[in-house]
Amino acid sequence: MGLPKFTRPKGHDDELCCNLYVANCGPAVGLTIDSITSAFSKFGTVKGVYPADESGSRVIVSYYDENSAQSALKALDRCPCPDLGGRSLHIRYSVQRPQLQVVATDSVEVCLEASELNIPGIYLIHDFVSAQEEEQLLAAVDERPWHSLAKRRVQHYGYEFCYDIRNVNTQHRLGNLPSFVDCILEKIPVFKKLDEAADVSLDQLTVNEYPTGVGLSPHIDTHSAFEGSIYSLSLSGPCIMEFRGSDDRDKERSNSRRRAIYLPPRSMLLLSGEGRYAWQHYIPHHKVDKVKDTVIRRGSRRVSFTFRKVRKGPCQCDYSQFCDSQS
């Protein structure tokens, strides 16, 4: 079933109505529909929260009565909202317009939480870093030289990942991880509450910059290259990450199981256990993603910080059919 479509009224005089056009608000800026609904519910019963357009950063909050909408506008317009991370919202009244049908381009349902994936060893924490920390991290990497690959740019710290052999040279250490990621590393131990076996001692970092529409080919991080915990922090722009689980009887049947999860900016993903060793992960090459009933346009760039621990010996995991050390 399609969603109601609204628009911001033309002209300077907004007419009082039940619907609010809210800018700087939505999944593309790291705010979930549930959190938006909760914040606006303080002013009255919310009928629904809908995408205002394909940007993912503007929504329509619809109330059952005009008084609730008026109270929310007066309280939140151009003011920091403490229930939404202190983000300043820009709010006007809105009107309903003829419905436009959104056509799904992929049959895989996109999850918002890692628990919905039903893949052991995958965890996601939203708002792992603050908006200020995000700005500082992006500024730090942009001050350093990038290495250009075919479709994206990368930086390596600790050890360089060699894409031609999909491994690292453990004899060639680049140095310690840079100090600008200390704000990330000091929070990593929180994952021990979700996965007691999670490794929090990390010595390799790859920074990837993805332009709009550029994704990542399906792969499992080489078992012999890295230990069992891989952390990926998403910055600047959102994306969908998909997972392909292979049938244990046939290593090549990588499409036998598929899952997908939405990674908003500032979220941290952990791959461990079965999710790290036995499921391929990849980012579809899309400019627009469909998340539940919301169409989200990817930003001009997405930057990921991927932290790992380099393995110094052969892998002895329980997933030998996918392990290069045991094949």
Side-chain angles (χ1 to χ4, degrees):
M1 182 173 64
L3 290 173
K5 291 296 183 179
F6 302 82
T7 184
R8 177 175 172 174
K10 295 181 180 179
H12 300 287
D13 296 325
D14 292 349
E15 295 184 3
L16 184 67
C17 68
C18 299
N19 308 311
L20 299 177
Y21 178 101
V22 186
N24 197 29
C25 185
V29 294
L31 302 179
T32 66
I33 297 300
D34 286 345
S35 65
I36 298 169
T37 302
S38 176
F40 279 82
S41 291
K42 293 186 174 182
F43 306 94
T45 303
V46 174
K47 183 177 181 181
V49 177
Y50 313 111
D53 50 37
E54 295 182 353
S55 69
S57 60
R58 291 179 284 271
V59 299
I60 301 298
V61 177
S62 181
Y63 287 98
Y64 285 98
D65 64 278
E66 296 175 351
N67 290 335
S68 296
Q70 184 180 41
S71 297
L73 188 149
K74 289 182 177 179
L76 298 179
D77 182 36
R78 301 180 186 279
C79 297
C81 179
D83 295 321
L84 296 175
R87 183 171 295 276
S88 293
L89 309 178
H90 302 273
I91 306 176
R92 297 282 298 275
Y93 289 114
S94 184
V95 295
Q96 192 166 351
R97 68 185 182 186
Q99 184 171 297
L100 297 176
Q101 186 169 0
V102 176
V103 179
T105 58
D106 202 315
S107 60
V108 181
E109 181 179 357
V110 178
C111 302
L112 298 178
E113 302 291 342
S115 58
E116 300 172 16
L117 290 171
N118 292 320
I119 302 177
I122 297 183
Y123 304 93
L124 180 69
I125 296 180
H126 293 265
D127 296 314
F128 191 78
V129 296
S130 67
Q132 182 180 9
E133 289 171 327
E134 178 184 39
E135 292 180 4
Q136 294 171 345
L137 290 166
L138 292 171
V141 294
D142 284 335
E143 290 176 352
R144 289 161 173 78
W146 291 92
H147 174 64
S148 295
L149 302 179
K151 294 184 179 181
R152 68 184 194 273
R153 300 193 301 174
V154 301
Q155 296 179 16
H156 296 289
Y157 299 93
Y159 295 87
E160 180 180 2
F161 183 74
C162 303
Y163 293 96
D164 53 343
I165 60 173
R166 300 200 59 79
N167 215 314
V168 295
N169 181 359
T170 57
Q171 304 303 315
H172 183 208
R173 189 166 182 268
L174 302 177
N176 296 327
L177 297 185
S179 59
F180 64 79
V181 299
D182 286 349
C183 66
I184 303 173
L185 296 177
E186 65 186 17
K187 300 177 186 180
I188 289 286
V190 73
F191 277 97
K192 298 286 284 186
K193 298 179 181 179
L194 302 175
D195 182 0
E196 293 182 356
D199 198 332
V200 298
S201 177
L202 308 168
D203 58 10
Q204 198 274 336
L205 165 64
T206 296
V207 182
N208 283 279
E209 180 193 57
Y210 300 89
T212 302
V214 174
L216 190 63
S217 299
H219 69 284
I220 296 176
D221 283 42
T222 309
H223 288 205
S224 63
F226 303 111
E227 296 283 355
S229 299
I230 298 174
Y231 300 85
S232 183
L233 177 69
S234 295
L235 299 177
S236 185
C239 78
I240 299 298
M241 179 170 284
E242 293 196 16
F243 298 89
R244 295 179 180 177
S246 299
D247 191 308
D248 289 348
R249 296 167 299 177
D250 186 349
K251 182 177 179 179
E252 300 303 318
R253 290 176 59 188
S254 60
N255 275 325
S256 61
R257 291 176 292 167
R258 295 176 65 193
R259 307 283 191 275
I261 191 169
Y262 175 64
L263 302 180
R266 302 190 296 280
S267 65
M268 177 72 92
L269 180 74
L270 167 61
L271 304 181
S272 63
E274 180 182 329
R276 178 267 188 267
Y277 286 122
W279 287 71
Q280 292 184 332
H281 63 275
Y282 69 109
I283 301 172
H285 297 269
H286 295 166
K287 291 186 177 180
V288 175
D289 294 307
K290 188 169 185 292
V291 182
K292 303 296 184 182
D293 289 320
T294 303
V295 176
I296 298 176
R297 187 176 299 277
R298 293 189 188 176
S300 59
R301 73 189 300 212
R302 173 181 173 268
V303 177
S304 67
F305 284 53
T306 302
F307 295 87
R308 309 175 180 93
K309 182 175 181 179
V310 172
R311 191 184 296 276
K312 301 298 172 44
C315 177
Q316 297 179 342
C317 68
D318 296 328
Y319 305 90
S320 58
Q321 65 270 44
F322 309 108
C323 183
D324 60 309
S325 290
Q326 302 180 56
S327 60

